[in-house]
């Protein structure tokens, strides 16, 4: 728990978010500023600043393996997943999170 971290506060229910999934290790919630009709974030409950800080294979498994479960629950078969790591990659919240977006056509390469 990092007391300055907004996503730690969401994981700890200290601030409200629109939670769509929760288990022992992860939480998923709708993005406040959605970039697609469906746009949610998956985070580990434990604080890691970015993907670079996760050394534990199990933790990678925890956060990625919930995505297909949530997608199935939401009836989504096609989606874009994004993990921004570091400022130049577009990371603005320094608690690792996976963006999952769906409901529109996505272009490639990402901007
Ligand atoms: P990134 O730029 O990859 O670090 O993504 C951070 C994301 O967190 C952005 O898409 C924001 O819209 C989203 N965000 C920031 N604060 C909140 C919040 N309180 N609840 C939900 N999403 C948030
Ligand atoms: Zn945090």
């Amino acid at each position: 728990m990092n007391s300055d971290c907004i996503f730690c506060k969401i994981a700890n229910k200290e601030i409200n978010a629109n939670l769509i999934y929760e288990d022992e290790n992860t939480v998923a919630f709708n993005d406040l500023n959605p970039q697609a009709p469906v746009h949610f974030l998956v985070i580990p409950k434990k604080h890691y600043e970015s993907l670079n800080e996760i050394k534990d294979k199990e933790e990678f498994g925890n956060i990625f393996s919930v995505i297909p479960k949530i997608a199935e629950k939401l009836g989504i078969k096609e989606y874009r997943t994004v993990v921004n790591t570091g400022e130049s990659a577009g990371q603005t919240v320094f608690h690792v999170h996976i963006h999952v977006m769906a409901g529109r056509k996505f272009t490639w390469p990402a901007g």
Side-chain angles (χ1 to χ4, degrees):
M1 169 76 190
N2 176 336
S3 56
D4 297 327
C5 172
I6 191 153
F7 286 0
C8 281
K9 287 181 181 158
I10 288 174
N12 277 304
K13 315 276 168 55
E14 285 172 34
I15 63 168
N16 278 330
N18 191 345
L19 294 196
I20 59 170
Y21 177 88
E22 179 170 16
D23 65 24
E24 197 187 338
N25 305 297
T26 66
V27 176
F29 50 94
N30 287 320
D31 196 292
L32 206 57
N33 182 22
Q35 301 301 312
V38 174
H39 184 176
F40 62 88
L41 305 173
V42 180
I43 66 167
K45 286 185 172 174
K46 195 171 161 194
H47 181 86
Y48 301 93
E49 194 170 294
S50 78
L51 212 53
N52 288 332
E53 276 196 6
I54 306 182
K55 309 296 182 202
D56 182 20
K57 274 188 191 173
E58 215 173 298
E59 195 73 288
F60 276 108
N62 291 338
I63 56 174
F64 281 95
S65 64
V66 300
I67 296 171
K69 289 188 208 168
I70 299 169
E72 189 175 13
K73 195 172 113 181
L74 298 177
I76 295 164
K77 291 206 168 63
E78 301 188 353
Y79 46 86
R80 170 71 56 88
T81 50
V82 174
V83 183
N84 296 322
T85 303
E87 228 176 285
S88 70
Q91 187 175 6
T92 59
V93 176
F94 289 85
H95 179 130
V96 70
H97 50 280
I98 308 171
H99 293 263
V100 182
M101 290 165 278
R104 69 169 169 87
K105 177 91 178 144
F106 295 94
T107 57
W108 189 258

